[in-house]
Amino acid sequence: MDIKQVRADFPILNQQVNGEKLVYFDNAATSQTPLPVLNTICQYYLKENANVHRGVHTLAERATEHYERVRQQVADFIHAASSNEIIFTRSTTESLNDIARGLGDNILQPGDEIVISIMEHHSNLVPWQELAARTGAKLKYIELDNHQELDLNSATEQITPKTKIVAVTAASNVLGTINPIKQIVQLAHHAHAWVVVDAAQYVGHHVVDVQDWDADFVAFSGHKMLGPTGIGVLYGKQDLLNIMHPVQFGGEMIEDVTRQRTTFKKSPLGFEAGTPNISGAVGLGAAIDYLNKVGIKNIEKREQSLANYLLPHLQKIDHLTLYGPQDHHTGVFAFNLDGLHPHDVATGLDLEGVAVRAGHHCAQPLMHTLGVTATARASLAFYNTKEECDQFIQSLVAVKEFFSNGLG
Ligand code: PMP
């Protein structure tokens, strides 16, 4: 990978923050957007902008063709069997809510079980809690093992013949772990349960093959894979989308409307009520082009090598607790410094030009399990460098010393 060339595509990275060179280590919250994606969105507005699936004029046809081309691109990118299995949504959050409402409300009975993991982001947790409350189903958790990784034994215990839905993340936004999705799918399917995969932290970092996973539903967001905000994807197996109910109603998703009744289009258009985020989809398509050009395998390799470089440097810092496994990590590092609030750590780092996140990372039950209320979190992307890892470590040590001197 020509990192100079890559970084030239991300001008936002080349700036000073608080008088220091910016180190953007908040990629798990949102990734940066390369010039080709911005240019494609701009060209779309300059040459193609029109509503999709409505007009017969040339611009409308151009916009529709582009929007549907991206749907096929997404299908190819995640190895879906058909573009009819790709629904454009606003985000991972919307995709997961759509499944909980559109399928969950129809199939769950009192006493049925929903199984999720304790490391889930609130967007793959609260919709299931709410679904359980609406239907009388029971929400159960797969716990962590001693290494703070998903415990497959716990999964085996929790998934029972009463389980109807298993919803897990493919990669944790806190622990720096990847979950064994194929094994979870096997356990779930053995119990005749459907599996929903939150791939928000996985897509764009690793090759995704939804058919190899045999996942029933997969959700992810464009803004975590170099695309714009406001566009997300819901993948569902065709036969399941056929029994899923739309949760939003309005223009373009209908087949026939009479005074009292309406019939709906099949997937995907039956789930895309109203004017969709067309420019968002266009941007997502350009992001996929960019990821494919750099190569997902190259991205995975580079991120892993940066993570392997950072891990021992972080562990060498005295009074630092790193969460998740200690012998391997993805590019996500949640940590705390003894006696310091993570917000103070993040503010101190910001003064040094380093952008990290601090808080509960929308994973309060996980924080509770880890025995904390919040952590700081550094998260890498392939466009980061070893020099930035060094600057981060130096800044972290400086922040630690500043506070210990100030407090001492
Ligand atoms: N799941 C995980 C694992 C995430 O990291 C995030 C974003 N932090 C989400 C879901 C939600 O994504 P969005 O806010 O784009 O809907």
Side-chain angles (χ1 to χ4, degrees):
M1 185 182 304
D2 182 348
I3 189 64
K4 265 207 172 138
Q5 179 63 51
V6 164
R7 285 182 70 89
D9 287 334
F10 294 84
I12 195 169
L13 299 175
N14 186 22
Q15 62 174 307
Q16 297 220 328
V17 165
N18 295 320
E20 302 290 340
K21 221 165 153 286
L22 168 68
V23 174
Y24 185 76
F25 274 8
D26 195 18
N27 295 286
T30 202
S31 54
Q32 296 302 347
T33 315
L35 284 172
V37 172
L38 299 174
N39 289 338
T40 305
I41 295 170
C42 187
Q43 285 304 311
Y44 166 77
Y45 276 117
L46 289 172
K47 297 208 178 108
E48 298 173 355
N49 184 35
N51 213 327
V52 289
H53 293 299
R54 287 155 172 82
V56 291
H57 60 80
T58 301
L59 288 193
E61 282 182 358
R62 266 185 215 163
T64 304
E65 187 277 324
H66 198 151
Y67 183 72
E68 289 305 322
R69 181 153 38 91
V70 175
R71 198 190 301 281
Q72 184 61 52
Q73 257 185 295
V74 174
D76 294 341
F77 190 60
I78 64 168
H79 298 92
S82 155
S83 64
N84 290 334
E85 298 178 320
I86 305 298
I87 296 159
F88 288 123
T89 63
R90 189 166 56 83
S91 59
T92 307
T93 303
E94 185 170 271
S95 301
L96 294 167
N97 275 278
D98 283 356
I99 306 163
R101 277 248 174 228
L103 191 75
D105 278 5
N106 292 340
I107 61 158
L108 284 190
Q109 305 284 331
D112 285 346
E113 293 174 354
I114 306 162
V115 175
I116 67 175
S117 91
I118 194 63
M119 71 174 79
E120 297 311 313
H121 186 282
H122 294 162
S123 72
N124 197 29
L125 191 158
V126 184
W128 306 118
Q129 249 177 17
E130 289 290 305
L131 173 64
R134 286 196 301 276
T135 58
K138 188 172 168 198
L139 182 61
K140 294 167 63 183
Y141 287 87
I142 303 170
E143 303 294 338
L144 302 183
D145 66 15
N146 292 338
H147 305 285
Q148 297 183 339
E149 296 202 66
L150 184 135
D151 184 354
L152 267 180
N153 290 328
S154 170
T156 310
E157 273 165 30
Q158 297 302 324
I159 298 170
T160 73
K162 287 187 184 165
T163 309
K164 292 289 179 293
I165 295 172
V166 177
V168 282
T169 191
S172 169
N173 64 321
V174 176
L175 297 168
T177 53
I178 289 176
N179 288 329
I181 295 299
K182 276 177 89 164
Q183 278 146 293
I184 293 166
V185 169
Q186 276 167 13
L187 285 173
H189 284 174
H190 190 68
H192 302 291
W194 286 314
V195 181
V196 178
V197 179
D198 172 354
Q201 296 292 343
Y202 195 90
V203 179
H205 301 276
H206 311 277
V207 173
V208 176
D209 187 329
V210 293
Q211 295 189 77
D212 185 49
W213 274 345
D214 200 18
D216 298 297
F217 294 96
V218 178
F220 54 96
S221 298
H223 72 96
K224 293 188 198 278
M225 48 180 288
L226 315 184
T229 50
I231 185 79
V233 171
L234 163 54
Y235 159 83
K237 282 183 185 165
Q238 186 70 64
D239 52 341
L240 293 180
L241 293 176
N242 289 345
I243 57 169
M244 188 165 124
H245 213 64
V247 295
Q248 287 195 46
F249 306 93
E252 274 313 301
M253 49 80 70
I254 59 90
E255 222 167 45
D256 193 46
V257 182
T258 63
R259 283 189 178 217
Q260 301 300 334
R261 291 198 66 80
T262 298
T263 53
F264 308 115
K265 282 183 182 148
K266 280 197 172 337
S267 158
L269 296 186
F271 294 102
E272 296 178 3
T275 301
N277 182 356
I278 307 164
S279 64
V282 163
L284 178 63
I288 290 174
D289 280 339
Y290 192 90
L291 290 166
N292 282 335
K293 201 178 102 207
V294 180
I296 293 289
K297 288 244 160 80
N298 294 332
I299 288 173
E300 189 179 48
K301 223 164 98 190
R302 183 172 169 89
E303 289 179 350
Q304 196 54 61
S305 117
L306 288 171
N308 293 348
Y309 179 74
L310 191 56
L311 178 63
H313 282 85
L314 263 180
Q315 286 167 320
K316 257 188 239 147
I317 298 177
D318 282 341
H319 305 295
L320 183 142
T321 304
L322 175 69
Y323 301 97
Q326 300 298 312
D327 58 343
H328 61 94
H329 247 262
T330 66
V332 174
F333 296 88
F335 61 92
N336 271 318
L337 286 170
D338 283 356
L340 290 188
H341 195 283
H343 280 120
D344 290 336
V345 174
T347 306
L349 285 172
D350 184 52
L351 292 174
E352 304 271 334
V354 181
V356 301
R357 165 118 191 246
H360 53 59
H361 313 294
C362 303
Q364 283 185 335
L366 173 62
M367 293 290 120
H368 191 72
T369 303
L370 298 176
V372 294
T373 50
T375 79
R377 182 189 68 188
S379 51
L380 311 176
F382 65 96
Y383 44 68
N384 290 129
T385 63
K386 276 190 177 169
E387 293 70 35
E388 290 181 318
C389 292
D390 292 340
Q391 190 182 329
F392 163 58
I393 293 291
Q394 273 167 26
S395 303
L396 193 54
V397 171
V399 167
K400 194 185 123 191
E401 279 166 9
F402 171 82
F403 278 107
S404 51
N405 290 341
L407 298 173

